[in-house]
Amino acid sequence: MCRNIRTLFNFEPPATRNEMHDASLQFVRKISGYTHPSKANEAAFHAAVEEIEAVVRKLLKSLDTDAPPKDREVVAAKARERAKERYGMT
């Protein structure tokens, strides 16, 4: 999976439309192989992003869990720590 696609479910505050759009865009980029589509493929590319974003919204609304919501700041701090260890950043 693309590194830039993040988990969006069970966070407080919930995922924003912008986060859902960004994840959808990254998914379409990965599948199509295009960072920026040509003019000939632009309409299909953007339509796919919109359709996937709608599916993502529907999915996140329909999922249910008994687990407490995760805190975005805590998850981000853990990711930064893992990156420091992995890449030797100080």
Side-chain angles (χ1 to χ4, degrees), residues 1 4-11 15 19 60 70 72:
M1 185 189 302
N4 296 330
I5 297 177
R6 305 283 182 231
T7 301
L8 299 178
F9 177 62
N10 198 28
F11 277 99
E19 289 172 314
L60 293 179
K70 296 174 265 185
R72 290 179 181 282

Side-chain angles (χ1 to χ4, degrees), residues 6-79:
R6 305 283 182 231
T7 301
L8 299 178
F9 177 62
N10 198 28
F11 277 99
E12 191 56 47
T16 64
R17 288 180 80 95
N18 192 44
E19 289 172 314
M20 291 181 223
H21 175 79
D22 290 347
S24 302
L25 177 61
Q26 285 291 22
F27 180 75
V28 172
R29 284 177 173 170
K30 184 70 170 184
I31 297 300
S32 69
Y34 293 124
T35 302
H36 299 288
S38 65
K39 289 288 183 189
N41 295 317
E42 194 170 32
F45 185 91
H46 292 299
V49 172
E50 290 176 19
E51 289 175 27
I52 291 170
E53 184 180 347
V55 171
V56 168
R57 277 195 306 277
K58 183 178 177 182
L59 172 65
L60 293 179
K61 284 181 183 179
S62 67
L63 292 175
D64 189 28
T65 184
D66 291 332
K70 296 174 265 185
D71 184 298
R72 290 179 181 282
E73 294 303 319
V74 171
V75 172
K78 287 180 183 178

